[in-house]
Amino acid sequence: MAVIKLLFFIFVMSHETFELDTSNCIFKVSNSSAASYFDLSSLSRQVWNIKVADERKLDGSRNSRGGNRTLFAFMSPCSSVKSRSNVDYCPDESASVCIAQKSGGVWSRELPNLGTDVLNKHSFANGTLKVILNGKEKCVNDKNYETEILFSCVEKFDGPLMARLSDCSFTVYWPTKIACPLKGPDSVLVDRCLLQTEGENSGVVDLRPLRHPQYYSVHSPDGGLFYLNICATLKNSTCDGSTACKHTKNGTVVIIGSTKGTNVRIADDGPLLVYKAKGGILTRVEFVCNVSVPFGEPTFRSEVGNTYTFEFQSSHACPKGIVDCVVYDDQANKFDLSNLRREIGNWEVRAEVHGRMNSTFFINVCKSLNPVRMCNFKDGPVGVCQTTDAGTAINLGMVIKGPEVTNGMLQISYSGGSLCPNGEGRYRTIIKFQCTNTKGAPIFESQSADCVTSFIWPTNIACPMKVAKGENCMVVEPIYSHQFDMTSLHNSKADYVVQTEVGSFRINLCGSLVAPCDNKENISVCLEKEDKQQIAVGYTTKEISYVNGGIRIELHGDDCIPGESSTVLVLLMCNHHGYLSSTKPKFVSTLSDSCKFLFIWELQLACPSHEEYPCTTTDKEGNVYDLSILSNPARNYKILRKTDTGMLKYLINICRPLVFSYGETCEYSSGMCEYNMSEPLISNNFRNLGDVTDSLGPSFENGVLTLQYSNGAMCRDPKSDVGHYSTTITFYCNPYELNEPVFEDVVSCNYKFSWRTVAACPVGSIHNGTFPIHNNGNCTAENFYTKHLFDLTSLMSKDYNVTSESGDVLQFSVCRILEKSPCENGTGACILKNNDEPKSISAGIGNANLEYRIGALFLNYSEGDLCDVGVPRNTLIEFVCGMENVTDGPKYVDTTSNCTSMIHWFTQLACESHVDCVLREGDWEVDLTSLSRTENSYHIINGKSEFFINVCAPITPLSGLSCPGGSAACIAERELDGSLVNESSLGYPVITPRMDNKKVILKYYHGSSCPFGQEVNLSSSFVFSCDPKADPGQPVFNQIEDCEYQFSWRTKVVCGSHNMPSCTLVDKSQELDLFDITPQSEYEITSSYIMRLCTVESVCNGIVCRQINKTWESLGNETTLQYDDSSNSLHIYITGNACQGAQGENSSAHIQIMCSDAATARDPYIMSQNECDVTIGWNLPAICQIIHDHAAHHDVSSGGINTAALVVSMLFIVIIITLGAVLRKQQNRIRCRNFFSCFALSRYRGHNFYSKLSSGGEVRMMNASADTGFGESDEEMIRI
């Protein structure tokens, strides 16, 4: 019968999933309906030994010896042999398995470590629990031994049955009752002994290893005997099934603990287990941390009334030496005392206790004390120690749990200290925290007779942080009530890949990974190590939290190293330019634990709503000033100011609202705000010193460049007559530094700052000689604004040659003079003429003054030989960041009329960062990379002007085209002789494409100065639209507006093949692209109707689906489009197959999309329906432009024709046809000399004319009948 039970158990469990708590040998096997637990922890209570069969080959290459000897294995699963027994031949403190040999009665070491106490691999199949331990002993080929233990369930307690040692492997077969699944109450109680604390971590204390396979026995003072167990029932006792019982002297058995009502928690004095029994009986087991006791035994403490109390000292009652320091109150405020935790030294308090004893208290917070000479207790993680001048030391409590909020008071307690002199308990400590404006230190308050020591700690670390938690990847920040929606972080097409020194992370938040990870589901973060091992370090969660201006997502996963589970923390930071299409998470570091990974993701989604404002102006002389480079989308400028009342911090941004970020939660509209650092950091202590929304941009006041923010918070200065705070920033040109603002003064609630910066210099002055260019003179140059250093010294090793169209060779070097040249000494560029005299001409003196401007680096070799126009020659070498597949190297471009030889050199050395040419918005992905050209830029001729364009990259070099290096778009004029002149840059590729109203838009900025008298530089924009026939298509110039050249570009690249939905409806005469007006692809109109315009891949493979009897059916896919200008609406008629409800009728649907304003906009709704047809209404503002465009450009369209034009045209045709018929007869020809008499004889004959839809939505049909018969012949009509 036992064999049948075992076979049934094997059959049931063979295909189930397996989970493991590697720390204490607790296993959990679960299937879809139930879960079973296995508890092997009691096997680690002793050292097991077994004789070993040595099956290793004796070929000299193995760790094997012959002779008369016997091998024995010593094992202690989930612990070390050394910790359980002083076995000399197992000296390694981490060894769970070792082998010794006995030869001639003498023991010696054989293999001291065949498996460590950390479980490495594990599986469950066919009723066998397999555990694999990695050993430290080498076998062959640098491979280590490993131990494989195969546990199986039998009905009795037994040690290992058989063991064999083979090549590099030690296998143990171990049938035992301990390997049977826990049954009944035991399977419930096992989980209750894994204690959880408040805060963000759990499982601080694990009492499960104290479960006894049978029972603990404890003698009572009255001669009785207690039996009890820990989180388990009694077995093989006289009261099996209960958790505690008492045998009195007279033989009576009293149940003092049952499984019902069991409570395990961390109390003030440490872990506490309470059993209940009938009659109001309570059994309390108070656990005391003692690291010197591996397991321990319970001892009887007291019997008071119906309450029995036991004490249990054990190392398993000790928490980690560090606990979580974060707690939330019932208002969702977060308190984090981590900054009070000391890694070196401790907090020290000197005080007089009981008016007579001078004492020094040593305290640490959320962590055990760092070494103190007199406080060298062996009990466990002591958190508070008291020493006296008399040389005594008292353990005032151990670190058991983190802080708590009780009745509004933040406090932390330490328990389980030294025994109290009154014999009633142990010392414990309570620290009460108070929120103040300084960090402060603990203050001794009292020490009571019952051994409770109290401290008060005023500190700003104890001030609440405003916290909110959200679900479904959405959270509402509690200060200004903005909802952050992070659902679009999930990319259903591809995962984000982040390469780190730890390995390769694949990340996809707010949903699961696209590619699998370790064959597991619901994974959002996967770590792939160098050996291709995949670890699910972050399971999918949609819970996010807001903390003082920052948003965070915390994910938990599998062990990244044995025994340490993974935690991934992603901080979402506000960046006004952090578009999903061009950003991804950045790996910061592993945290204090090697399995905790920190990422930062700068995103626009993490920002409240915001706008950018004008940042340019002109002075009286027409010079343009552009402060936009100071406008920081990711960071605020910070200025500290010390005052009598404390330290003040000012936050400033330029031409945009302040970036809303952690610890910087100013009002959304604020461009400047103040924070008193001496006050607690709570929710509303930022003072708005001026709204950016009221700013008109920079301007000149009394000849000084000025920016003003006004209408801040209410002014509290009684001496001021203004109502609100304001800020004035004055800018002064400094051509060498970007710098930061400086506080000047406060006058009548107006805060004044000054800023000396290169951004305040006139546009172009830095590079046109008005101010000297800042260069290093060593072939390096720095980007003024980003501080990126360009280094071209690697190009200095040789000379280079380029050839002009005339055949002349331009020989030049980089950042030095030519080594071998026919030109004079010092030349950096030399022209070697093909035919003319002289044969060599200096084109400039070499130098190492590498200079930077937006888009390009350049060297200017000047002061060469005089040219024909009487000026010295010079050579301009422009180094341009090229695409990855562009061949690097110099190319001759042109020699200008002022004798400047121009060379363009594409090189990765000129790259600061590549522009990502891929746009990703949710599920949409558009990759414009294929439009980028490595040669022959796009060329457009528009009258005398010609455009040269590339996509996401600089235009390719073209002989005779002298556009500024690095330009992605350029305009030039063509002279009569074919030469190109007046080249101007239309912008540089500095930002990725973006989506605007479902259009793909690419913009280039920072071009040449605008020649139209405006205060901005030239720029260009390209709007891409889908055209399946355009591959790749061509840009088309449309217009110039505010110095921006605007182009349109029809191309197949942005069509549905790149994951953008196709929304084209087609009938027999026309097609309509609804992509621009459809905000989503599917609408659930009611529970019975679904509409999908953008694809037919729906639940019914139709445009409109209807549910009947829980089955979805299509109402059709064949569409007819009709416009109605009179009612400003578009009608889509959909026809399907035969209707099942009516004979002879087809299923159909009618979608009426009506032009409306935003106030009357409405999602699709049912207007009418019957068994075969439905009419759907849709009030949509976006359709208005399409209807307007159709009326303006389409005189005739399917289902909608201009009525007047139709009638006139058809009347004319009928008249001609009728006239021909009438005039066939000669008598009629005579009578029809008068047009009107002729017309009177004619009639309309048998034609149907379609007009536009009437306002009632019906199609009018014009019918005309006529008498029979035309004339006798066409020849008669021809002769007229």
Side-chain angles (χ1 to χ4, degrees), residues 650-771:
Y650 297 99
L651 304 176
I652 303 177
N653 217 323
I654 302 299
C655 302
R656 69 171 64 245
L658 290 167
V659 177
F660 197 82
S661 59
Y662 181 80
E664 298 178 5
T665 54
C666 304
E667 293 181 17
Y668 296 164
S669 59
S670 176
M672 167 83 183
C673 76
E674 176 189 74
Y675 164 57
N676 190 337
M677 299 177 68
S678 301
E679 297 177 1
L681 181 60
I682 54 177
S683 58
N684 294 315
N685 57 350
F686 289 91
R687 178 186 294 169
N688 181 3
L689 299 184
D691 279 354
V692 68
T693 53
D694 292 330
S695 171
L696 299 177
S699 61
F700 278 88
E701 304 226 353
N702 299 321
V704 178
L705 183 60
T706 303
L707 180 67
Q708 293 190 351
Y709 295 145
S710 59
N711 199 30
M714 294 291 293
C715 177
R716 298 179 181 178
D717 185 356
K719 300 178 182 179
S720 174
D721 56 357
V722 298
H724 297 268
Y725 289 104
S726 62
T727 297
T728 300
I729 310 171
T730 54
F731 296 88
Y732 303 94
C733 174
N734 179 345
Y736 302 106
E737 297 291 342
L738 197 63
N739 282 333
E740 292 196 351
V742 176
F743 173 81
E744 298 289 350
D745 199 3
V746 183
V747 179
S748 189
C749 287
N750 176 250
Y751 285 72
K752 299 182 181 295
F753 294 82
S754 63
W755 201 333
R756 287 166 171 79
T757 172
V758 66
C761 302
V763 171
S765 62
I766 298 299
H767 301 299
N768 65 12
T770 305
F771 297 101

Side-chain angles (χ1 to χ4, degrees), residues 213-283:
Q214 300 184 52
Y215 54 81
Y216 295 98
S217 60
V218 182
H219 290 280
S220 66
D222 60 3
L225 187 65
F226 293 99
Y227 295 102
L228 69 110
N229 210 338
I230 305 300
C231 294
T233 58
L234 303 174
K235 301 171 186 65
N236 296 333
S237 71
T238 55
C239 36
D240 285 4
S242 63
T243 55
C245 67
K246 177 182 180 181
H247 286 244
T248 63
K249 287 189 301 183
N250 57 15
T252 305
V253 176
V254 180
I255 303 298
I256 61 172
S258 66
T259 58
K260 294 182 180 181
T262 299
N263 181 280
V264 191
R265 68 182 189 276
I266 296 181
D268 289 339
D269 290 325
L272 173 66
L273 167 65
V274 178
Y275 290 136
K276 294 182 179 180
K278 292 182 180 179
I281 296 175
L282 295 179
T283 295

Side-chain angles (χ1 to χ4, degrees), residues 498-517:
V498 182
Q499 301 290 346
T500 74
E501 66 272 15
V502 179
S504 176
F505 288 89
R506 283 189 293 110
I507 301 175
N508 214 334
L509 301 178
C510 295
S512 299
L513 292 169
V514 175
C517 178

Side-chain angles (χ1 to χ4, degrees), residues 187 251 279 486 515 536 619 747 857 1111 1142 1211:
S187 63
M486 298 294 164
D619 60 16
V747 179
L857 297 166
T1111 301
L1211 279 175

Side-chain angles (χ1 to χ4, degrees), residues 1026-1062:
C1026 171
D1027 186 346
K1029 299 177 182 179
D1031 184 15
Q1034 278 275 122
V1036 176
F1037 174 66
N1038 295 329
Q1039 64 178 351
I1040 305 173
E1041 183 176 343
D1042 295 333
C1043 293
E1044 180 182 82
Y1045 284 75
Q1046 298 175 351
F1047 299 82
S1048 60
W1049 196 326
R1050 298 183 65 83
T1051 175
K1052 68 177 294 184
V1053 172
V1054 298
C1055 294
S1057 60
H1058 283 66
N1059 302 329
M1060 293 183 65
S1062 174

Side-chain angles (χ1 to χ4, degrees), residues 322-338:
I322 184 171
V323 296
D324 188 53
C325 229
V326 175
V327 68
Y328 296 86
D329 65 10
D330 55 6
Q331 302 298 316
N333 291 308
K334 180 180 180 180
F335 299 85
D336 187 350
L337 300 181
S338 301

Side-chain angles (χ1 to χ4, degrees), residues 135-150:
K136 292 183 179 180
E137 303 300 323
K138 297 289 184 183
C139 53
V140 293
N141 298 328
D142 289 329
K143 182 179 178 181
N144 284 17
Y145 276 94
E146 68 177 17
T147 295
E148 180 183 73
I149 307 176
L150 303 175

